[in-house]
Amino acid sequence: MSNSSGQRIPVNRFGLTEVYSPTPTKPEVDVVFVHGLNGDPHNTWTSENTKIFWPAQILPPILEEEKARVLVYGYDADVTSFTDGASRDKIHNHAEHLIAELVANRRIRRAMERPIIWIAHSLGGLVVKRALIYSAEIRGIKIEHLRSVFVSTYGILFLGTPHHGSDVAQWGNRLEWICSVMLPKKVMDSQPQLIDALKTNNETLQNIDRQFIQILNRFHIYFFHEGKPTNLKGTLKFIVDETSASPTVQDVERAVIQADHSHMCKFENENAPGFDLVVEGIQRYAEDAPPKIKRNWDAENQERTAAKQAEAAELYSASVKDTPPQRHTPRSDSSSTFENSSLGREQRALPPTEGQMEFDKQIIVEDVTNDKETA
């Protein structure tokens, strides 16, 4: 496998792999690819005919002006593996791992606020949705860095992702079809967690859909559905039909790719069906993302600062309330007062003025805020 310059780049089976980064220019956008059930971070996006790995070999020159960095993500989405049998991870486990890895990758490169564009195939779309739900729910000060993926995400392109759709009764059949296409016959497993998450009336899938709807308007979304059926044991079927892959949602783009389910994400050249549609979407998102994500971060940082100041003010009020009042007890000897040699009068402790109290409060607010930021 090689990038656009012809240099071979190894792709990790698990985790993130950077397959292209503009040099010497600093990247301005991260484009992240996530495969689906029994997929692979390289093979899912590679043409079987020309062996072209389009995220690294075709896409980068097109995104030259947008200065995009391209990454692929691999995870154990195998229904069976060669060593452990069925994959025991649930969708939310994959989502948490994805967020942790992406945040780590971006943080060490000082790129936490860089815009993100996702391209997801099949089940990978559910992993991306769950990852964004998880990131959006982060509120704790000590883990707020994990929220950065939600704040930085601009757009998502879903290729053949099985969204809930209206025909719930078809989910059992659709699951069977996906497995038949994506899995070797002899490795069909009995009850893996990932397959179970796609079954009819499954609570996990319903929760993902319901929660994602709450944040969907935050992003630019592009749905793609397969335009050609797949031959399943002599019968032609759409693995994820238009109703499920491209549900009608306000302000969401929809398009068809004239390929079957497993080939709709493999572009052998720039003339391949659907290539222009997908790449134009990526390019447009990459171009438009930076100013929008900057506004996201301006609002996010203001909200975080306000929350820290409110918490600090509350702590100050509580400390003042809990402080017992000081009482002056007269004493019979001369030690209760002392004579000021220059003024010739008694000096006694006085209560703080309003100005002094406000100064003390500001000091506490600044101290608490600084402690939060360095935690």
Side-chain angles (χ1 to χ4, degrees):
M1 187 262 307
S2 62
N3 64 4
S4 58
S5 65
Q7 181 182 1
R8 291 184 62 83
I9 300 177
V11 173
N12 299 324
R13 176 63 183 87
F14 302 116
L16 283 169
T17 302
E18 179 184 288
V19 297
Y20 177 79
S21 183
T23 55
T25 309
K26 184 177 181 180
E28 295 184 4
V29 179
D30 280 347
V31 179
V32 185
F33 288 77
V34 181
H35 65 76
L37 179 66
N38 207 51
D40 179 274
H42 173 256
N43 296 338
T44 292
W45 315 103
T46 300
S47 167
E48 297 170 356
N49 296 326
T50 62
K51 307 303 179 184
I52 291 293
F53 178 57
W54 71 272
Q57 294 176 267
I58 303 180
L59 184 62
I62 298 174
L63 300 181
E64 181 178 1
E65 291 187 12
E66 288 71 29
K67 301 178 178 63
R69 184 172 70 126
V70 182
L71 305 99
V72 293
Y73 181 71
Y75 60 101
D76 184 10
D78 300 334
V79 177
T80 59
S81 66
F82 295 105
T83 56
D84 299 328
S87 169
R88 303 304 176 186
D89 279 343
K90 297 179 181 179
I91 290 177
H92 80 267
N93 294 134
H94 290 306
E96 290 180 0
H97 295 163
L98 171 55
I99 292 296
E101 291 230 16
L102 186 57
V103 168
N105 179 281
R106 287 158 55 87
R107 193 176 193 283
I108 63 178
R109 291 165 175 79
R110 303 292 190 267
M112 293 283 279
E113 298 184 8
R114 184 184 296 162
I116 301 171
I117 297 168
W118 301 90
I119 297 90
H121 177 242
S122 195
L123 179 63
L126 301 183
V127 175
V128 170
K129 289 200 292 185
R130 186 65 187 88
L132 290 171
I133 293 167
Y134 167 67
S135 180
E137 292 174 345
I138 296 295
R139 286 294 183 271
I141 294 295
K142 295 181 180 179
I143 58 172
E144 68 180 6
H145 59 288
L146 298 177
R147 182 175 162 82
S148 65
V149 173
F150 167 72
V151 180
S152 295
T153 291
Y154 179 83
I156 315 163
L157 291 84
F158 293 103
L159 279 61
T161 292
H163 306 288
H164 187 61
S166 57
D167 193 355
V168 180
Q170 287 293 321
W171 272 99
N173 291 335
R174 187 173 294 118
L175 167 66
E176 182 181 353
W177 300 340
I178 292 175
C179 293
S180 297
V181 171
M182 306 307 296
L183 303 175
K185 294 181 181 179
K186 61 181 180 180
V187 297
M188 293 290 287
D189 213 306
S190 56
Q191 293 292 324
Q193 295 276 9
L194 285 174
I195 285 185
D196 193 49
L198 289 174
K199 287 186 176 178
T200 305
N201 295 323
N202 184 270
E203 183 177 357
T204 299
L205 180 63
Q206 292 174 355
N207 286 340
I208 290 175
D209 283 335
R210 183 173 61 251
Q211 291 174 297
F212 189 72
I213 288 174
Q214 304 303 314
I215 60 175
L216 182 144
N217 290 335
R218 174 96 174 194
F219 317 118
H220 285 69
I221 305 292
Y222 209 148
F223 291 142
F224 293 90
H225 57 276
E226 59 211 61
K228 290 187 176 181
T230 299
N231 189 334
L232 292 180
K233 301 177 181 179
T235 303
L236 295 177
K237 294 182 179 295
F238 287 100
I239 305 305
V240 183
D241 60 21
E242 180 179 352
T243 301
S244 181
S246 298
T248 303
V249 180
Q250 185 176 3
D251 293 330
V252 170
E253 297 178 89
R254 304 167 68 251
V256 59
I257 296 177
Q258 292 299 329
D260 62 28
H261 185 74
S262 62
H263 293 92
M264 66 185 303
C265 54
K266 307 177 192 293
F267 300 128
E268 60 185 32
N269 54 50
E270 295 184 13
N271 297 318
F275 177 83
D276 284 349
L277 289 168
V278 173
V279 173
E280 184 279 330
I282 299 172
Q283 184 184 53
R284 174 159 42 88
Y285 287 179
E287 180 180 349
D288 297 342
K292 172 61 168 64
I293 298 306
K294 184 181 184 304
R295 292 194 296 271
N296 284 1
W297 274 107
D298 288 344
E300 179 74 12
N301 290 328
Q302 290 176 5
E303 183 178 333
R304 291 182 182 183
T305 299
K308 291 172 183 177
Q309 291 178 340
E311 182 180 357
E314 184 177 347
L315 290 174
Y316 172 79
S317 299
S319 66
V320 171
K321 181 179 180 180
D322 294 340
T323 302
Q326 296 183 354
R327 297 180 179 179
H328 175 70
T329 304
R331 298 178 62 180
S332 58
D333 56 21
S334 60
S335 64
S336 62
T337 62
F338 65 91
E339 200 69 20
N340 185 294
S341 60
S342 61
L343 298 178
R345 61 181 179 181
E346 292 182 346
Q347 302 295 309
R348 291 183 174 84
L350 298 177
T353 65
E354 291 186 4
Q356 181 63 41
M357 292 180 66
E358 185 62 30
F359 177 78
D360 292 344
K361 177 180 177 181
Q362 183 61 32
I363 292 297
I364 291 178
V365 169
E366 292 178 356
D367 288 345
V368 173
T369 302
N370 290 336
D371 289 344
K372 296 292 187 181
E373 291 177 348
T374 57

